[in-house]
Amino acid sequence: MKRNFSSFILSILFSVTCFYSFAQDRKPIRLEIPVKDDTEIYKVVPCSNNGLMIIYLSSDSDEAGNMLWITAMLDVNLKEIWRKSYPLPKGFVLEDALYANNHLIAFFHLVRGGDENNFRILDVMINEASLVEARYTIPERSGLSHFSISKNFALAGLNNKNNESLLLRYDFNRKDIVSINPGIDGKVIIESLNIDKETGLTTLILRTTGSSAKKRSYFLVKLNSNGGKVSDLALSKFDDNNMINTAFAYSIDANTELVIGSYGRTNRTRVIDGYESIGVASTGFFSVLIKDNQEVNSGFYDFTNFQNFYRYLRRPSDLSIRRGSNRAERTNSVSVDHDLLTHEIFQWKNDYVFVAEAYYPEYRTVTTMVYDYYGRPYPSTYSVFEGYRYLTTFIAGFDSTGAIRWNNDLELRNILSQNLKPRVIAWEDSDGLVLSYTNDGKIASKLIDGGTSIDNISYTDIATLSPRDRVYSDSNSSLEFWYNNYFLVYGYQNLRNSYQNDRNNKNIFYINKIAFR
C-alpha cells in the first residue's frame, strides 16, 4: 500500500512580535515568519505531543547590554502557549538544543575564547514555563561537538585543540554542571556518544591522537548514570589497511554491544580548523561485536559490493580507484571512497540499521582577464566553492552477530548546500522502513523492506497558505519526526504570488505540520 505525506486544513500565521491564528478552509497547518534572507535564524525543537519550541536571538538587548534570546512554546497546532526572553552577553551562540522528560536543554557557548562562565545551559521546563541557567568555564579554544540527553541528565562532549576531552553533565534535579573524565587517560578525542534514555548508561567511542593514524587506538567506554566508569575496552580489530573514520555503539543487551561505523584505507592525518582528523573518505562499513567486554568478531563491507553502488556516481573523480601491490590485488581489489555524514545506529525489527549520506565539495572554475605591470592582459583561473553536493544515502542492516544482512540506498537529488548536515530521516512504518528528506519545496520518501525497495521515490509538495503561491526558492529545509505519525518540515522560502501584493516576492521562515499516511 503506497503511503505519502499529507497536510492539515488549518492555517496558522506567525510574526516576530506575536503569534495569532485563524481558521480557513483548505489551508494547511503552517507557520510563517517574514525574514530578510535564508540565514538560519530559528532553532526548532520538537517536544513530543507537548508541542514544539522555537529558539532565536532577537535584535533587542537589556539594560546591561546583554542580547535577548527568545524561547517560544507552541502547541501541536502551532499556536503560541507562552514566550520567555533570556539575556546572554554578546558572542554566545546556540550549539544545540534537545528535549526529554519535560526539559528542553539549550547549550550555549561563548566562541571568542576563555572568558569566565563561557559555557551556559538553559533548562526550560516547558510545562511550568520556567527557565533555569547553569554556568561553567571551559578551556579556551574548545569545540563542543557531541550532545545527548536522558530523562534525568544531559551531556555535552568537548574536544579542545590540546586534545584534552571532557564531558559536561547537567543534572535535571540538582540544576548544576559537573565535568566528567571520559575514562581514558592521555590525549583522546570523543568520536561519538549516546545515552540510554531509561537507564542513563552512556556509551562512548574514544580515540587517541598522534602524528600518524597508524598510532591511534580506539576505545569503547561505558559510564553509569552518575558518570562513573563501568568498563573500557581497546578495540583491536583494525590494522593499517582498515582505519576507522566514524564509529557508533549500540547496546543489544546488558552484556552485548555492537559497534558499527565507516572505515577507509588511508593513514593520512589532517587538521581542520585546528582539530586533528583522519581523512574523511570512507571505503565501506564495518562492525565489531562485543560480549562481556570482549571482542567476538568483526566484519568489513566495501561499498563496491553494495547493490546499485555505481548508479549515483556523477563525476569521473567520484571514482577513486586504489589498487594493491601485487598482480592479483591489482586485478581484483577496487574500492571507491566517499565523504560521509553518518547517523546513530537504530533498531528496526531484528536488525541494527546504519545510515550514511555521501557528499562531495563542489567547485566551479572562474576565468578572468588580469593585466601585468606593462598593461598586457592574460587569463587568470581560480576555483570558487559552490557548496556540498549530496549524492546518495547508504543504508545497511546488521544482525545481532554484526554480520551485514542487507543494504539499500536513497538517491539525494539536486541538493547543493553551504551547510553540511544530515538530511535523511528513517522510521518504521507498518509496511516497512521509510526513508525521507526535503529539498526544493518537496518531500521525498521511499519505502523499503530491508534490501527490497517496496516503492520508488515519491515527492510531495510542501503546502503553502494560498494555492496561488509559487515557491520560487526553498533552502535550508529540514524534516523531523514529531509525535505519532506527525512530522515537522521547516525552512526558508521565497514566495511569488501575482494575485496578492503582500505575498509577492516574500521571504519567509515556515513550519508545516504534516502526517505520513
Side-chain angles (χ1 to χ4, degrees):
M1 178 179 178
K2 190 176 182 65
R3 293 170 178 260
N4 215 326
F5 286 97
S6 60
S7 299
F8 292 80
I9 54 170
L10 177 67
S11 155
I12 307 291
L13 294 182
F14 176 106
S15 73
V16 173
T17 57
C18 64
F19 296 87
Y20 59 95
S21 65
F22 62 93
Q24 290 182 342
D25 293 336
R26 311 301 299 173
K27 296 290 185 179
I29 292 185
R30 178 177 169 96
L31 172 155
E32 291 185 355
I33 309 173
V35 294
K36 293 182 179 180
D37 52 38
D38 62 353
T39 303
E40 294 189 80
I41 302 171
Y42 301 98
K43 175 69 175 178
V44 177
V45 186
C47 301
S48 187
N49 58 2
N50 293 305
L52 66 89
M53 179 76 71
I54 297 178
I55 307 174
Y56 63 96
L57 177 63
S58 75
S59 58
D60 299 325
S61 59
D62 64 10
E63 295 179 352
N66 295 311
M67 301 304 296
L68 294 179
W69 288 81
I70 306 299
T71 58
M73 187 68 195
L74 280 66
D75 65 14
V76 295
N77 290 316
L78 306 185
K79 181 179 180 181
E80 182 182 4
I81 304 173
W82 55 262
R83 178 189 298 210
K84 300 280 186 179
S85 63
Y86 171 64
L88 274 177
K90 293 180 180 179
F92 272 90
V93 298
L94 176 63
E95 297 283 359
D96 204 351
L98 304 172
Y99 170 80
N101 194 24
N102 187 42
H103 291 263
L104 185 143
I105 305 299
F107 304 87
F108 292 92
H109 179 211
L110 185 62
V111 296
R112 67 170 175 253
D115 293 25
E116 187 176 0
N117 296 322
N118 55 1
F119 176 71
R120 311 282 178 94
I121 279 182
L122 180 64
D123 183 358
V124 185
M125 288 153 282
I126 62 173
N127 290 342
E128 295 81 14
S130 61
L131 312 178
V132 174
E133 180 196 66
R135 303 182 179 188
Y136 196 84
T137 302
I138 63 177
E140 187 177 2
R141 303 173 73 190
S142 295
L144 289 156
S145 56
H146 299 81
F147 306 92
S148 192
I149 193 169
S150 74
K151 64 179 181 180
N152 294 316
F153 66 93
L155 284 179
L158 182 152
N159 295 321
N160 67 23
K161 293 188 178 181
N162 295 323
N163 300 320
E164 298 170 349
S165 299
L166 58 86
L167 298 172
L168 302 176
R169 183 184 188 275
Y170 174 77
D171 187 278
F172 293 172
N173 295 317
R174 295 197 303 267
K175 312 294 184 186
D176 63 352
I177 300 173
V178 296
S179 64
I180 300 173
N181 188 301
I184 299 297
D185 295 331
K187 295 185 176 183
V188 296
I189 285 177
I190 302 170
E191 287 287 345
S192 65
L193 75 87
N194 60 74
I195 307 174
D196 185 294
K197 286 184 169 53
E198 294 301 319
T199 66
L201 181 71
T202 300
T203 306
L204 302 168
I205 300 291
L206 306 176
R207 69 170 170 87
T208 60
T209 62
S211 59
S212 170
K214 294 181 179 180
K215 299 179 181 179
R216 291 180 177 150
S217 299
Y218 291 81
F219 296 87
L220 171 68
V221 179
K222 292 191 288 186
L223 309 176
N224 62 27
S225 59
N226 295 318
K229 185 164 72 172
V230 176
S231 64
D232 66 74
L233 174 67
L235 301 176
S236 63
K237 299 293 186 180
F238 302 94
D239 55 35
D240 295 346
N241 295 319
N242 297 312
M243 308 303 301
I244 297 178
N245 281 345
T246 60
F248 298 84
Y250 188 93
S251 295
I252 296 177
D253 56 46
N255 302 310
T256 308
E257 287 81 33
L258 189 59
V259 178
I260 300 175
S262 63
Y263 74 96
R265 295 197 174 105
T266 176
N267 59 11
R268 178 181 47 167
T269 298
R270 300 197 310 174
V271 175
I272 300 175
D273 294 333
Y275 294 91
E276 179 196 356
S277 173
I278 194 170
V280 294
S282 293
T283 302
F285 290 163
F286 74 88
S287 66
V288 178
L289 180 65
I290 298 168
K291 282 185 175 291
D292 299 319
N293 209 36
Q294 297 292 325
E295 293 171 304
V296 176
N297 55 40
S298 62
F300 295 85
Y301 307 95
D302 197 292
F303 287 144
T304 57
N305 296 321
F306 282 25
Q307 62 183 359
N308 301 324
F309 172 73
Y310 293 97
R311 183 195 307 176
Y312 305 117
L313 296 179
R314 298 302 190 199
R315 312 165 303 157
S317 58
D318 288 339
L319 189 60
S320 174
I321 300 177
R322 299 179 179 218
R323 301 185 184 277
S325 58
N326 59 49
R327 186 178 300 273
E329 288 177 336
R330 286 198 299 269
T331 302
N332 300 318
S333 178
V334 177
S335 66
V336 179
D337 294 345
H338 278 77
D339 295 345
L340 298 179
L341 290 171
T342 49
H343 298 229
E344 290 188 0
I345 306 163
F346 66 92
Q347 186 174 1
W348 173 62
K349 296 181 179 179
N350 294 321
D351 295 331
Y352 302 91
V353 183
F354 190 58
V355 177
E357 303 170 36
Y359 70 92
Y360 64 87
E362 185 169 287
Y363 298 83
R364 62 182 172 89
T365 300
V366 176
T367 301
T368 59
M369 296 302 294
V370 296
Y371 299 87
D372 64 13
Y373 178 79
Y374 298 101
R376 294 172 298 191
Y378 65 92
S380 174
T381 301
Y382 58 94
S383 296
V384 176
F385 176 66
E386 288 283 88
Y388 298 101
R389 175 72 65 181
Y390 288 69
L391 286 173
T392 188
T393 306
F394 301 119
I395 306 103
F398 297 77
D399 65 18
S400 59
T401 71
I404 195 167
R405 295 187 63 242
W406 54 265
N407 68 84
N408 214 313
D409 61 272
L410 173 67
E411 184 181 9
L412 303 177
R413 297 181 181 176
N414 302 320
I415 300 180
L416 180 65
S417 175
Q418 296 287 328
N419 301 318
L420 194 58
K421 63 180 182 180
R423 295 179 178 273
V424 175
I425 63 172
W427 72 94
E428 183 176 0
D429 183 70
S430 59
D431 295 327
L433 188 66
V434 183
L435 308 168
S436 188
Y437 68 93
T438 178
N439 183 55
D440 199 24
K442 298 180 183 295
I443 303 171
S445 58
K446 177 182 178 180
L447 185 64
I448 67 172
D449 185 6
T452 302
S453 298
I454 299 175
D455 290 324
N456 295 324
I457 299 178
S458 62
Y459 296 90
T460 304
D461 289 333
I462 298 173
T464 57
L465 290 178
S466 170
R468 298 182 184 274
D469 287 341
R470 181 168 64 92
V471 179
Y472 184 75
S473 66
D474 182 287
S475 58
N476 295 330
S477 57
S478 298
L479 177 66
E480 292 193 43
F481 174 76
W482 196 359
Y483 67 98
N484 297 337
N485 67 327
Y486 301 130
F487 294 78
L488 292 171
V489 58
Y490 56 91
Y492 297 80
Q493 290 180 340
N494 176 266
L495 301 178
R496 304 291 173 92
N497 188 328
S498 58
Y499 296 89
Q500 293 179 247
N501 290 333
D502 61 341
R503 298 188 66 78
N504 194 26
N505 198 19
K506 182 178 183 181
N507 294 316
I508 61 164
F509 170 75
Y510 70 91
I511 302 177
N512 280 41
K513 180 181 180 180
I514 57 178
F516 187 80
R517 293 170 177 167

